[in-house]
Amino acid sequence: MSQMPQQAALSNCPSCAEPLESGDRFCGACGYDLSVAAAPAHDTPTVQMNGGAVPRPSAPAEGGAGGGAWPLAPRPDGSGAARGQRPADVAGTGSGGAPLPAQGGQPEPAPPAPGAGPGPAAEPEEYPLQAPDPRSAAAGEDLAGADGMPGAGGAAAAAAGAPAAGAGGPGEVSVPGGSTVPAGAAAVCVACRAGRVDSDGYCENCGHAQPRERDHMERESGPVAAVSDRGRRHHRNEDAFAVGNAVLPDGSAASVAIVCDGVSSATRPDEASLAASRAAIDSLLAALPRGTHPQQAMHDAIVAAARAVDALAEEPAGAREHAPQQNSPACTLVGAVVTAGLLIVGWVGDSRVYWVPVDRAAPPARLTEDDSWAAQMVAAGLMSEAQAYADERAHAITGWLGADAYELEPHTASFKPDRAGVVVVCTDGLWNYAETAQEMAEVLPLDAAVRPLHGARVLVGHALDGGGHDNVTVALVPFPAPPQGAGSG
């Protein structure tokens, strides 16, 4: 979960001594208001924020100008391993239309040992009624995606009395566990299988909280697929995603994926991520058919998402008076658009996009740069990448969507791959367990380009097997091989 710089957190509830998560406002066991006992804030920024906003990109000229030449794969060395690449190793075009700058070959960070490194305060080993392991889902099952998304089943369909994707037939609605009940009948508790579930989501018989709609979400839209899971340590899923497809004016297809990660130290992060993903996908699916260049459309989608999150901060008069220490809702965003021969990425925050070629002899690459404390330390030459990401401040983000963001700086970049591959769009809940591009390529199934939903389930399962300390969300967008003579080489 992304985190904004914040005051020191309590490790245990002052009232009942229940272990707390970083960013908790109330004790999950006794409801104690933690802001009353919060440690005093120390506003000592470690780096100075630059104040310049990234200029809006100009649309590249016809014929693909603006997309950089895609490098051919170097021959593997004697070990047989292909060289991983940094984002700037791959030629591309940035938000301002200029080539992406070279980086000077900073080394890839060493993969963290499982369970090592800084993390939130002590928490229960597992919460009851975990969301289902995505790898146990039946092959080909098309479950509802982020609720309310265009084309998704989700909570919006359930609220309207309609079955979600993959649910039962007319007159039935799905319940946790995959069974169905007649419409209008009370849901049965998944724990005791006897009590009815009340309107608050708790069993009237045993008192167990029922799995939420967003605890585990899956969605497939054309060639694009996405999976999101609450993970093993958090009490709710604060990630959201949206996937879709559009037809461009020339009749060719465009695939779109948006992934958002709620900032855990802000209030209502789950609402922020959902609002941002909805606004971004709506903006892209409206702009692309009108002929807007994909890079400009991505920039505008990030701006639309920021406005949607800003709107959540508009509270009734007096609300701030009762909760003066609450931050505004906030989230990060990352997205990808794939068209014929062109790959566009856009982001704000520390969620990432990876490129993994179908031919695994070719090098994979990370295509985004984190808006984070660690990335700033590396860019300033103050730390190596391994040192920065080992620091407890590594995941403090320096860019996000929200009313209290320093300044909105959407990043976009365009690439023209010369071969088929898979675009991996994910939150840090996944890349914490496969940080380098080479590690991500090793985890991604070889058939992910033709079975993206299966591939996304495998990646989420990898994060859960590694500990699942955070919400995990990933979208896979296959990139088809460009027509002969259309490559950039």
Side-chain angles (χ1 to χ4, degrees):
M1 194 70 58
S2 301
Q3 299 179 356
M4 290 187 292
Q6 55 180 323
Q7 63 187 29
L10 297 171
S11 59
N12 296 86
C13 174
S15 175
C16 66
E18 178 76 7
L20 303 173
E21 290 186 31
S22 176
D24 280 350
R25 300 294 181 183
F26 297 90
C27 175
C30 67
Y32 185 80
D33 185 354
L34 302 176
S35 64
V36 175
H42 299 285
D43 185 14
T44 55
T46 57
V47 291
Q48 182 176 359
M49 302 300 301
N50 73 43
V54 172
R56 296 168 66 91
S58 56
E62 292 295 331
W70 198 261
L72 297 178
R75 292 186 178 275
D77 57 23
S79 65
R83 180 179 68 88
Q85 289 187 318
R86 298 278 305 155
D89 293 338
V90 181
T93 304
S95 302
L100 295 176
Q103 271 209 336
Q106 287 290 345
E108 290 276 11
E123 301 173 86
E125 280 300 314
E126 282 193 310
Y127 287 88
L129 300 177
Q130 293 294 311
D133 190 316
R135 295 160 297 175
S136 64
E141 186 179 10
D142 185 11
L143 300 179
D147 44 285
M149 298 298 179
E172 294 180 331
V173 294
S174 62
V175 296
S179 59
T180 59
V181 296
V188 178
C189 174
V190 299
C192 69
R193 299 290 181 183
R196 296 186 304 171
V197 179
D198 62 23
S199 59
D200 292 332
Y202 290 86
C203 175
E204 295 178 348
N205 179 49
C206 67
H208 266 93
Q210 304 302 294
R212 297 180 176 93
E213 183 75 24
R214 289 175 65 178
D215 281 357
H216 184 86
M217 302 178 291
E218 299 188 0
R219 176 68 179 160
E220 202 166 21
S221 178
V224 191
V227 175
S228 182
D229 193 273
R230 186 186 73 190
R232 303 197 185 280
R233 305 297 295 273
H234 286 278
H235 66 284
R236 67 180 175 187
N237 189 357
E238 296 171 356
D239 289 356
F241 67 81
V243 295
N245 297 274
V247 178
L248 303 181
D250 63 1
S252 62
S255 299
V256 180
I258 296 292
V259 169
C260 296
D261 182 356
V263 175
S264 60
S265 55
T267 184
R268 294 148 55 204
D270 53 329
E271 295 181 30
S273 62
L274 185 59
S277 59
R278 285 175 171 172
I281 196 75
D282 287 348
S283 177
L284 282 166
L285 295 183
L288 292 172
R290 294 197 302 261
T292 305
H293 190 275
Q295 190 167 359
Q296 180 66 54
M298 177 64 76
H299 180 281
D300 295 343
I302 296 175
V303 173
R307 289 171 180 162
V309 178
D310 289 351
L312 296 178
E314 299 174 1
E315 301 173 345
R320 280 287 179 182
E321 182 178 336
H322 297 293
Q325 298 181 2
Q326 285 189 344
N327 295 324
S328 298
C331 69
T332 68
L333 181 148
V334 65
V337 175
V338 167
T339 66
L342 185 63
L343 166 60
I344 301 295
V345 299
W347 73 99
V348 172
D350 62 351
S351 294
R352 293 180 176 180
V353 176
Y354 292 85
W355 162 261
V356 180
V358 170
D359 178 6
R360 296 302 171 87
R366 173 157 63 94
L367 305 181
T368 57
E369 283 288 355
D370 299 343
D371 288 324
S372 69
W373 180 90
Q376 283 200 343
M377 293 298 100
V378 174
L382 300 177
M383 288 184 176
S384 71
E385 194 160 9
Q387 291 172 329
Y389 279 96
D391 193 282
E392 63 181 6
R393 297 163 289 184
H395 289 281
I397 56 175
T398 57
W400 62 87
L401 306 182
D404 56 359
Y406 298 126
E407 187 170 1
L408 178 62
E409 296 187 28
H411 311 294
T412 64
S414 65
F415 302 93
K416 294 189 70 180
D418 61 355
R419 64 195 70 215
V422 179
V423 181
V424 181
V425 186
C426 65
T427 62
D428 60 347
L430 172 59
W431 66 252
N432 276 331
Y433 300 97
E435 190 161 343
T436 69
Q438 190 62 46
E439 290 170 337
M440 188 66 72
E442 291 169 358
V443 177
L444 185 70
L446 295 174
D447 62 353
V450 294
R451 299 177 64 199
L453 181 58
H454 167 73
R457 287 171 175 164
V458 169
L459 291 179
V460 170
H462 173 75
L464 297 179
D465 288 345
H469 287 195
D470 199 353
N471 305 146
V472 189
T473 302
V474 59
L476 298 185
V477 189
F479 186 94
Q484 289 295 328
S488 58

